[in-house]
Every structure is written in C-alpha cells, then in structure tokens.
Amino acid sequence: MTFVALVFKNLVRQKIRTSLTVLGISVGITTVVALGVVVAGVKATSEQILRAYDSDFFVAQKGASDLSFSTVAESEWRAVDALPEVQRTIGALFHISKVEGQPFFVTIGVTPEDVAKAGPPLREGSYFSAGATDEIMLGSGAASKLGKGIGDTVTIDERALEVVGIYRAGNLWEDNGAYAPLATVQNIAKKPDVVTVIYTTVKEGYDPKEVADKIEEDFPLLTVVASIGEYSEVDQGIEIMDAMNLAISALAVGIGAIGVMNTMVMSVFERTREIGILRAVGWSGNRIMRMVVGESLLLCVVAVGVGAGLGVLASRAVLLIPIVGTFLEYNLDVFVRALVVAVLVALVGAAYPAARAVRLTPMEALRHE
C-alpha cells in the first residue's frame, strides 16, 4: 500500500466523523468565498467609479463617510477646472433611489456638454439635448430590468423623465443606472449647486501626484482619490468590509482548526498500537508526522472543494437581492484566500495530534489498550 493510499484509508475508516468534519470546515470556507465575492465586487465597482471618463483622479468632500454623501460646491468645481495644470474636469452628482422595484438605482447627473464629449457609447437613441430638463439615458442593464425603451417614461423620486437614449458603458455601476442633466438631478436630490465628485484630467507634462497635492493644499475641504487604497478618505465601507472579511477568515481558521484537531486527536488515539507497529518496523517520527499532517491536509482540501462550490452557489443566490447582485465579482484571489484558509486550518489542527504521535515510543504504543 502506498503512503497516499494509507493516508486516504485512515480518513475513510470513520466515515461519519470525517464527513461531519468536512462539513464543518466547508461552512467556514463557504462564508469566506461568498463574502469574498461580494467584497471583490464592491472593490471592482469602486475602481470603475474611480477611473470613469479616463480621468487621472477624482476630487470629493474630505471626510465623507460614504461617497454618495460627498458634496462639492460648483464654485469649487469651477476653481479646480481653472487651474493651469488641469486639462478637463467633469462634475458628477450621484443620486441613489428606489426606481420601480430597483432599490439601488444610481442616477448620474452631468451637464449635456460633458455627456456629449465623454459620456458612455450609445446603443440606441441620443444623448440628452442642451437645455433639456426632463430627459434621461438608461444603461443597457437598467433598461432591461425596467423594461424601458426609447420614448418610455422613468420616474425618479416622483419626477417623470423621458428615455432618449440607451447606452452600454461596459461596467456594472453605469450600465445598471442612468444619466440625466445635472440641473435635473440636483433638483430631484434637493442638492442645488453641488456635485458629488469632480473627475479631473491633468494636462500632459504635469505630474498628477503633484497636481493632486496642490488641489488638497489649495482646497482644505476637499480630498483627492487617485487609487483604490485612498478610497477610505471618502468611503469607510470598503475598509469595514475588508475588516469583516479578515475577521471571518480568522474565525473560520479557528473553528475549523478545532474541528480538525478533534478529529485527528481521536484518530491518533484510536491508532496508537498501529503507530507503535509502524515505529517498530522502521517508520521515523518525521514520516509519522507527515502521515498525520497529510490526513489533515487531505481533509481540508476536500472541504475547500465542497466549501468553494457552496460559496459560489450562495453568492449566486445573492443575485436574487437586487441591491447586492450588482456587486458580485468572481476572481482568483477569492479562491486562493479560501485555499489559504483551508491550509492554515489543516496545519493548525494537525499540530498537536502530530506532535503527540511523534512522541509515542514503539514500546509505549504497543502496550496501549
């Protein structure tokens, strides 16, 4: 019998105990994967918001607890736009509301001039016209979910707007939302003369970092966000979700390790005489340790496969919740984290049982009843 076959046989001796241990670890892995998918989706959406209109960075209110709460005066926007180092700015107002069953519908207010120059590509219809007040452009995802087409009416907070265009930006946050004239969104949101962010493009030959520092120095109430790592300056949500993800991963390691340790301790105790025979016929302590750790790793590898599958199913089920379904992103990092958690569970859980097995002398093990 090969070493790997022996490791597998040792696990299947107690099928129920092994299955329950795998199930327990799988629940932790499922949570890690499902939450990881949501967190990755939120970060991907935040990155898309940050890089809109091919800007170098955006400017927002300093200390805002959430990006949607940021308020920047139009006078500050015009002052930033007037800086000699700045090539172009686009002021955008984000308004989040419930629209016909969609609880997290984002309407982006920009000027007709800006949407015509830098707006998303149209799939059909046209951009809203200069001076328009009751026109709206829907993203392809929003149009599909709302069942709207050109000429239909969409009501945003009791304001009826006519659909004049349908666009496809290629990212979730824009395609599941809409564009409307800035003045109209300001009126709907009851935020006159303010925008949420100022998207800023720096002139060629200037260092964006130096321009960002100058803006923060000249405008103490504003902050510049140039990377996802700086997002916490205007939105605490990502930091909180990262902390939750880390805490749940640590909890999964702790609970899983206890389950594995219990299983492996029982397994080693039940096979004390067998371990003694293996030592008597020449097995080294190192090989005994590899056997116990190998059983633990195999147990956790099976669990990570089951848990990852359940995690994907759980995250797919989350799609039924419109407010969360927008923020799902499957990437390799999520599954690597799950594998790392499983390996840590295996190593921590196997540490004591392996040490106990190695300390057994052949004589002591053979005399065990």
Side-chain angles (χ1 to χ4, degrees):
M1 181 181 295
T2 65
F3 183 80
V4 175
L6 178 62
V7 168
F8 180 76
K9 183 179 178 181
N10 289 337
L11 285 178
V12 298
R13 286 179 179 180
Q14 296 289 341
K15 294 183 178 64
I16 295 178
R17 186 169 66 201
T18 299
S19 299
L20 290 175
T21 304
V22 168
L23 180 61
I25 301 169
S26 298
V27 170
I29 298 297
T30 297
T31 307
V32 170
V33 170
L35 182 59
V37 166
V38 174
V39 172
V42 171
K43 285 187 173 182
T45 300
S46 299
E47 186 72 28
Q48 292 164 359
I49 293 173
L50 176 59
R51 298 305 172 195
Y53 315 114
D54 295 323
S55 60
D56 292 304
F57 51 76
F58 71 64
V59 181
Q61 179 187 358
K62 189 173 186 178
S65 59
D66 185 274
L67 183 60
S68 62
F69 297 153
S70 168
T71 55
V72 180
E74 284 195 27
S75 58
E76 294 173 312
W77 170 19
R78 302 308 175 191
V80 171
D81 186 70
L83 293 174
E85 302 91 346
V86 172
Q87 178 179 331
R88 183 189 70 190
T89 62
I90 294 177
L93 177 62
F94 302 152
H95 177 60
I96 301 172
S97 58
K98 183 177 181 179
V99 177
E100 298 185 25
Q102 302 299 314
F104 195 75
F105 191 88
V106 180
T107 306
I108 307 163
V110 293
T111 64
E113 297 78 18
D114 285 336
V115 79
K117 288 187 295 185
L122 285 171
R123 199 178 70 179
E124 57 181 299
S126 63
Y127 295 117
F128 42 80
S129 56
T133 57
D134 295 315
E135 296 179 352
I136 192 170
M137 296 160 45
L138 292 179
S140 54
S144 176
K145 291 176 181 177
L146 297 174
K148 302 292 185 180
I150 302 299
D152 289 336
T153 299
V154 176
T155 302
I156 309 289
D157 290 353
E158 301 182 355
R159 178 76 174 264
L161 305 174
E162 181 185 354
V163 179
V164 296
I166 296 176
Y167 62 86
R168 184 177 181 83
N171 61 69
L172 290 174
W173 78 281
E174 286 183 276
D175 286 344
N176 285 295
Y179 276 89
L182 176 60
T184 299
V185 179
Q186 288 174 333
N187 183 267
I188 292 172
K190 296 179 175 56
K191 293 181 178 179
D193 303 320
V194 300
V195 294
T196 304
V197 295
I198 308 167
Y199 286 100
T200 307
T201 303
V202 175
K203 287 181 180 177
E204 189 174 347
Y206 289 94
D207 182 3
K209 177 67 170 61
E210 292 180 359
V211 177
D213 290 342
K214 176 179 172 58
I215 290 173
E216 290 188 335
E217 182 180 344
D218 292 348
F219 303 91
L221 297 180
L222 303 181
T223 188
V224 173
V225 178
S227 67
I228 195 68
E230 298 173 352
Y231 226 87
S232 60
E233 295 290 333
V234 293
D235 196 326
Q236 305 299 317
I238 292 179
E239 277 193 342
I240 292 171
M241 293 191 75
D242 271 337
M244 286 175 58
N245 201 10
L246 181 61
I248 287 176
S249 296
L251 190 61
V253 170
I255 295 174
I258 292 172
V260 171
M261 187 179 299
N262 178 68
T263 297
M264 297 311 300
V265 165
M266 292 296 295
S267 178
V268 168
F269 182 79
E270 291 168 355
R271 291 183 288 140
T272 300
R273 287 177 63 83
E274 178 185 319
I275 292 172
I277 293 172
L278 292 174
R279 295 298 302 272
V281 298
W283 275 44
S284 65
N286 187 42
R287 195 173 188 190
I288 295 291
M289 178 179 290
R290 291 206 310 273
M291 180 181 70
V292 175
V293 173
E295 291 173 20
S296 180
L297 283 171
L298 181 58
L299 194 70
C300 291
V301 166
V302 173
V304 79
V306 175
L310 291 175
V312 170
L313 291 176
S315 61
R316 298 301 296 177
V318 170
L319 286 170
L320 299 175
I321 307 173
I323 192 170
V324 181
T326 306
F327 301 114
L328 294 186
E329 177 82 10
Y330 296 94
N331 59 42
L332 185 60
D333 289 346
V334 172
F335 300 99
V336 169
R337 178 190 287 267
L339 183 60
V340 169
V341 168
V343 170
L344 287 174
V345 166
L347 295 178
V348 174
Y352 172 71
R356 186 179 187 280
V358 169
R359 285 201 305 267
L360 286 172
T361 64
M363 184 65 67
E364 180 185 0
L366 290 172
R367 291 175 59 187
H368 181 79
E369 295 296 334

